[in-house]
Amino acid sequence: MRAADRRRFLKASAATGAVAMQHIFRLGAAVAAALALSAAEASDPACEASATEKALTGTARARFVKQCETDAALLVCDTQAVDRKLADAARANFINKCLEDAALKSSSPTCDALAVEKKLAGSARTSFMKKCVAERSGGAPG
């Protein structure tokens, strides 16, 4: 491979990785919104403790806890992607799916418990969780 071809390849690879990371961060914002729906009933004890330690109250506390939970979910998903040795698009796809699953799980602990009880996994679990959460929130399943 010529040097010019190698440079072009490396530049294209870097651009693809940057775009994938942008998508991950956008999804992180969506997950933050989903976590906000259930922040009151399923807050992470570590995030709550940190907010208490910082003496946060009201809206500032809610925002802090929501961001803390989003960061924690992203860290867990990213760690799993590293453990699986995923890169670029595969890594971005895995993290997106992982964050979506985390948002569904935290939005309804009852639905998650039912999915575990039914021993659902993969797409069957995802489909069940989406329908269950929609039914419990009064929305149409979709």
Side-chain angles (χ1 to χ4, degrees), residues 6-65:
R6 209 170 315 139
R7 279 192 300 272
R8 248 181 283 151
F9 174 76
L10 291 174
K11 187 176 179 180
S13 295
T16 302
V19 169
M21 289 307 292
Q22 287 174 349
H23 289 297
I24 290 169
F25 290 119
R26 284 188 201 131
L27 184 66
V31 169
L35 289 173
L37 296 174
S38 64
E41 66 185 54
S43 294
D44 182 355
C47 293
E48 288 290 340
S50 184
T52 300
E53 185 179 297
K54 294 176 186 257
L56 297 173
T57 59
T59 306
R61 180 185 185 90
R63 286 183 188 156
F64 175 83
V65 170

Side-chain angles (χ1 to χ4, degrees), residues 111-131:
C111 292
D112 184 55
L114 289 170
V116 169
E117 184 179 307
K118 293 180 178 199
K119 299 178 182 176
L120 297 174
S123 60
R125 180 186 176 89
T126 302
S127 176
F128 171 81
M129 289 291 292
K130 285 181 181 178
K131 288 177 185 174

